[in-house]
Amino acid sequence: MSENILFHSTKQYEVAIANKLSDEQLRKNLKSAMDTLKTNRKNLIKQRYTDWEGLRELGKEVKLKTLSHLDEFLERFENNATKNGFKVHWANDAKEANEIIYQLAKERNITTILKGKSMASEEIHLNAYLKEKGVLANETDLGELIIQLIDEPPVHIVTPAIHKNRYQIGEIFKEKLQAPLESEPDKLNAIARKYMRKKFKDFKMGLSGVNFAIANEGAIWLVENEGNGRMSTTACDIHIAICGIEKIVESFEDASILNTLLVPSAVGASITCYNNIIAGPRKEGELDGPQEVHIVMLDNNRSSILADSHYYRSLSCIRCGTCLNHCPVYDKIGGHAYLSTYPGPIGEVISPQLFGLDNCGYMLNLCSLCGRCSEVCPVKIPLAELIRDLRSEKIGEGRMKVKGYKNTHRNKSEKFAMNVFAFLATSGIKWRVLLWGVNVFSPLIEKMGHILPGLKNWTLYRATPKINASLHTKIKNIKGVVYE
């Protein structure tokens, strides 16, 4: 069934990674997009924010306060949202969430739903579930529409089709929408707009995600850049919002702090085109808005993560995607190689906890521990530290509390390699001798690496590193030398 998590083998991961590394166009597209997003973010922070680090600290405090009072804030949100006319539903897992949404459609004889962007719906595989039940879920976000047309999952949690350039998108529209072949962004947008306007004409049910759910007000806040989210939530008779329970904040002030961090981190802009704050269904005398608004509060193992005294910090994520944009691994392979809804550094932290180490543990290998993700996270989640600690969990050396740890095991060759590394790296003399040896034999490695066991896979996609011999020149002088 679609709501069940598919378990992936090591071989499946290795095949997926090899395929993406072999896709030169993918790598070119990702590098161009990631470089643009990083540059825009860097320039904006430098020009517009006088105390970005202070703002990050505020965001961190907001999320930690929320997580420490989550049960209280959830109850307050339900009470206030109900007073406002919302209908609040609680879903323990993906199956319950999907069934709630399907039943709402079935009771109203609805066979088509229009969706704004929602990573929570991707997490629970809602589209596939509804399709099995005879209900079609049409994506309206431009990126989501593109990947739906080619039957792919999102490659990025903010920009789902960032792995496709404008020429590829033109080909997709030509093949799937029978549109004229175009490559200019404004013409591509016009094609998508014309296609979607027909869908919006008579639809009855719309679905969205939630960026922030404000406990004190019983309201939800959605941010977007295209306007499709506003159409999906106001032009319909019934609006359904899927909200992970960690999206709760106490007040509008708290949500404003997080929003101020979210947008620059996500797209390198100071504000999005649309901020939609929804405080209930259409009131008597109002001319627009849905007649019903349902909010599905999704747990799906989040409460177990919250109960963990170490890994609970990962629930602070505001889904900005900046850790993906700065990751030197993600921009080589893209999100699909992670075989999970959530890729990149944040995916490596939350996916094993949501779906199990036995299913997603391999993705923890997709990290160089460079620490960029921790440095740029707007709410200061120590992502690199958590990834390192989850690696310990994966091989049975952690606290053995993460979901799926019982079915994981230590790789013997990996254990041997790490023991050798520890033997060499914990001695200044041995380490410098090793570097000297690598420097001496690097020409041979360059020529023979592609056929040598243990090196051929490494050299397949990597250039041989150049060792600076001046750092470890004369072997006769290294006795007793330690690192400065």
Side-chain angles (χ1 to χ4, degrees), residues 376-395:
V376 299
C377 176
V379 289
K380 295 189 173 184
I381 303 172
L383 291 165
E385 174 188 333
L386 296 178
I387 291 170
R388 185 187 66 235
D389 293 344
L390 282 166
R391 285 179 171 180
S392 297
E393 301 284 353
K394 184 182 74 167
I395 62 172

Side-chain angles (χ1 to χ4, degrees), residues 296-310:
V296 179
M297 302 300 297
L298 177 66
D299 187 327
N300 207 27
N301 213 44
R302 286 164 172 79
S303 57
S304 297
I305 299 174
L306 182 64
D308 191 299
S309 60
H310 185 57

Side-chain angles (χ1 to χ4, degrees), residues 107-123:
E107 291 166 3
R108 293 156 180 78
N109 296 315
I110 291 173
T111 56
T112 302
I113 297 175
L114 295 193
K115 293 179 59 194
K117 189 172 182 302
S118 167
M119 286 306 297
S121 73
E122 298 287 348
E123 176 185 327

Side-chain angles (χ1 to χ4, degrees), residues 59-69 312-313 316:
K60 172 186 173 182
E61 292 173 1
V62 166
K63 290 302 297 186
L64 292 181
K65 177 185 70 173
T66 297
L67 295 177
S68 64
H69 295 87
Y312 78 98
R313 283 288 305 278
S316 293

Side-chain angles (χ1 to χ4, degrees), residues 185-235:
D186 58 340
K187 293 181 179 180
L188 293 173
N189 283 330
I191 291 171
R193 187 182 305 114
K194 181 179 179 181
Y195 172 76
M196 288 312 309
R197 286 295 177 183
K198 298 176 183 178
K199 304 289 183 181
F200 280 120
K201 187 175 181 180
D202 299 313
F203 83 114
K204 301 296 182 183
M205 179 177 285
L207 186 139
S208 74
V210 173
N211 290 98
F212 313 108
I214 298 98
N216 288 349
E217 306 296 334
I220 57 175
W221 186 338
L222 289 71
V223 298
E224 55 156 334
N225 275 313
E226 299 176 16
N228 64 292
R230 184 167 291 181
M231 288 286 287
S232 299
T233 59
T234 60

Side-chain angles (χ1 to χ4, degrees), residues 301 304 307-311 353 357 393 398-406:
N301 213 44
S304 297
D308 191 299
S309 60
H310 185 57
Y311 295 111
Q353 297 185 80
L357 270 170
E393 301 284 353
R399 296 170 302 125
M400 301 184 183
K401 293 183 179 180
V402 178
K403 180 179 179 181
Y405 79 90
K406 292 181 180 179

